[in-house]
Amino acid sequence: MRKFCCLVLFCVFSLSAMAAERLSFEVSAEMSNYTYREPHMQYPIKISGHMTGVSAALTHRSLLESYFGENAAFVRVEGIYMQGKNDYDGYLQGGGMDGTPITISNIDDWYIDGRLLFGQRYEFAEQSLILEPFAGVAYRFLQDNGQKKSDSAYLRESNYVYAPFGARFTWNVSNTFRMILNGEFDWLLEGKQKSGMSRFDPAFSDLRNTQKEGFGLRASLRVEQEIGKVAVFAEPFYRYWKIQNSNVDYYYIDELFGWGYGGVEPYNTTHEWGIKAGVAF
């Protein structure tokens, strides 16, 4: 169902691009190595594997051209969908099993990332060099389905609302060939984590932790060649997240005796190295 929705979205973008001269559209396939760590816990964990997916972007140029000039200001909508089978390496906790190593293989993980960006275009050296600073708002959702592979695991859902700030630097090497360097800082506005503890006991509720501190980084280098009215490109990329400890939430409280079980979403990092290749219209 998710793949079908992505296909419909891409078709809508394509039709929009063909209908308006000032719209440009691109679609690409992606593959990456993915590693998530909680390194500072007493029993650290790692989730790693390979991800594959698709991405698309729709850019409208000449935004408010009466104020900024033709082809100067722009708005850009981006979307990414990635999925993969990752491996969990960690330790059991609770039930007298603290510190017992556990490995879970081929966990179905996926994430989506949607972004709305606004930017300004500056041209130099007779348009051979172009700088496009941008800023915007974005949302990332990740689901880890470890509960489907092990009775010791549980559903994890990660929600990030963040603000991207970055710039694209384009070097038009020739009339048809260009190189594009992209750098970005992502400021976490709020993170919401859901941990499905309720699967272990009917008396338990799911943990819902809030994260207030963290950031991400992105970098990529694209090489692009025009062929007629389209351009083909390849783009190695790196994506990174560093998120601090969340607040404490409780999944069980004994009101009679005034105690309970709680937990935090601990400090964690995510590294993703990959490459995407696609077509721009």
Side-chain angles (χ1 to χ4, degrees):
M1 181 64 181
R2 293 193 297 267
K3 294 180 180 178
F4 175 76
C5 291
C6 290
L7 180 60
V8 171
L9 182 61
F10 294 158
C11 291
V12 171
F13 279 176
S14 298
L15 290 173
S16 299
M18 289 185 291
E21 293 181 358
R22 292 178 179 175
L23 292 179
S24 60
F25 170 74
E26 65 184 55
V27 59
S28 56
E30 301 194 6
M31 59 186 301
S32 68
N33 288 324
Y34 177 92
T35 303
Y36 168 90
R37 294 179 184 270
E38 295 175 359
H40 293 171
M41 295 177 62
Q42 181 180 4
Y43 304 111
I45 72 165
K46 179 178 76 170
I47 300 173
S48 59
H50 301 288
M51 307 283 275
T52 59
V54 292
S55 59
L58 179 67
T59 303
H60 185 285
R61 299 194 177 274
S62 295
L63 183 68
L64 300 176
E65 65 177 89
S66 60
Y67 293 95
F68 299 107
E70 187 176 359
N71 294 325
F74 64 88
V75 59
R76 180 177 173 91
V77 180
E78 299 179 347
I80 303 172
Y81 169 75
M82 298 289 281
Q83 64 177 10
K85 293 186 178 295
N86 293 328
D87 299 330
Y88 173 96
D89 293 296
Y91 300 86
L92 294 175
Q93 299 183 57
M97 302 293 288
D98 286 8
T100 303
I102 180 174
T103 299
I104 308 172
S105 300
N106 297 320
I107 299 172
D108 293 320
D109 290 350
W110 62 274
Y111 76 80
I112 58 173
D113 199 320
R115 298 145 57 84
L116 177 63
L117 307 175
F118 299 90
Q120 179 80 8
R121 177 187 178 101
Y122 300 96
E123 299 177 350
F124 307 94
E126 297 181 350
Q127 301 183 1
S128 63
L129 301 177
I130 299 171
L131 177 64
E132 295 178 306
F134 60 82
V137 64
Y139 171 72
R140 178 180 184 266
F141 173 84
L142 180 144
Q143 186 176 94
D144 177 281
N145 290 285
Q147 81 286 357
K148 295 182 179 179
K149 296 293 183 177
S150 172
D151 292 337
S152 301
Y154 51 87
L155 174 69
R156 295 177 61 251
E157 293 181 347
S158 172
N159 300 265
Y160 294 168
V161 177
Y162 65 96
F165 299 91
R168 289 162 54 97
F169 181 77
T170 301
W171 176 26
N172 290 312
V173 181
S174 69
N175 290 334
T176 60
F177 180 74
R178 64 187 60 91
M179 302 177 67
I180 303 172
L181 178 65
N182 185 83
E184 181 178 311
F185 174 84
D186 296 325
W187 174 33
L188 180 71
L189 300 177
E190 184 173 81
K192 292 286 188 179
Q193 302 291 325
K194 176 183 175 182
S195 302
M197 306 302 291
S198 58
R199 76 168 306 213
F200 298 120
D201 190 313
F204 291 172
S205 61
D206 292 335
L207 276 177
R208 300 180 186 275
N209 299 105
T210 300
Q211 298 160 310
K212 292 294 187 180
E213 298 182 29
F215 68 90
L217 299 171
R218 294 190 182 199
S220 66
L221 177 62
R222 174 186 295 200
V223 291
E224 184 173 292
Q225 176 68 53
E226 289 186 14
I227 304 174
K229 294 184 179 181
V230 302
V232 295
F233 62 85
E235 184 174 352
F237 64 81
Y238 173 63
R239 299 168 186 153
Y240 172 76
W241 284 102
K242 179 180 179 180
I243 309 297
Q244 301 296 332
N245 288 348
S246 73
N247 70 326
V248 178
D249 189 30
Y250 291 88
Y251 57 90
Y252 179 75
I253 297 177
D254 189 313
E255 296 182 354
L256 179 62
F257 295 98
W259 60 272
Y261 298 121
V264 301
E265 184 70 14
Y267 165 87
N268 61 80
T269 61
T270 301
H271 297 265
E272 189 174 7
W273 298 86
I275 187 169
K276 63 181 180 179
V279 180
F281 303 89

